[in-house]
Amino acid sequence: MVVYVVAEDQLSIYVTKFIFNKIFTVNNVDIIEISGRGKGNIKNKLQSYNEASAKCIFYILIDLDNEECAPGMVSKWVDLKRNKGLILRIAVREI
């Protein structure tokens, strides 16, 4: 299984990979890093990630920053039919 990890910065990618390595105890999980280079860039590419997630898993981690709540932010960002391979997570406290 291949999991693409997209995050705002290298530290967020590192933390995500650390957690995945603790969860997935099998050796058949390949984690491929994609540096999002900031939240705005990730948001601009979200449609592309969603399309690609029809065939593989995209785990996207972003920070809440100045938004009021994570569910509200998700509804603002994801106004499209989300493939089940697209996993969008929001860190309430910045990593």
Side-chain angles (χ1 to χ4, degrees):
M1 172 173 61
V2 175
V3 177
Y4 291 88
V5 174
V6 182
E8 292 182 59
D9 53 38
Q10 200 59 38
L11 179 59
S12 297
I13 290 173
Y14 175 80
V15 170
T16 302
K17 286 176 65 176
F18 179 82
I19 293 168
F20 278 18
N21 286 327
K22 296 292 183 185
I23 294 172
F24 299 116
T25 56
V26 293
N27 293 329
N28 62 349
V29 176
D30 293 321
I31 298 173
I32 299 174
E33 302 174 19
I34 301 175
S35 176
R37 296 190 178 115
K39 189 188 307 187
N41 196 32
I42 293 172
K43 185 175 182 181
N44 290 337
K45 293 182 178 181
L46 191 60
Q47 178 65 38
S48 299
Y49 296 144
N50 187 51
E51 291 169 8
S53 71
K55 297 180 181 175
C56 54
I57 298 172
F58 274 78
Y59 181 91
I60 301 172
L61 177 65
I62 55 174
D63 297 329
L64 186 61
D65 289 336
N66 297 324
E67 296 288 330
E68 288 189 26
C69 67
M73 186 175 177
V74 170
S75 65
K76 285 181 188 176
W77 275 46
V78 184
D79 61 347
L80 45 96
K81 185 176 183 273
R82 189 172 9 165
N83 288 315
K84 62 182 176 178
L86 182 71
I87 303 166
L88 177 60
R89 296 293 177 254
I90 299 172
V92 175
R93 295 184 187 264
E94 189 170 342
I95 294 177

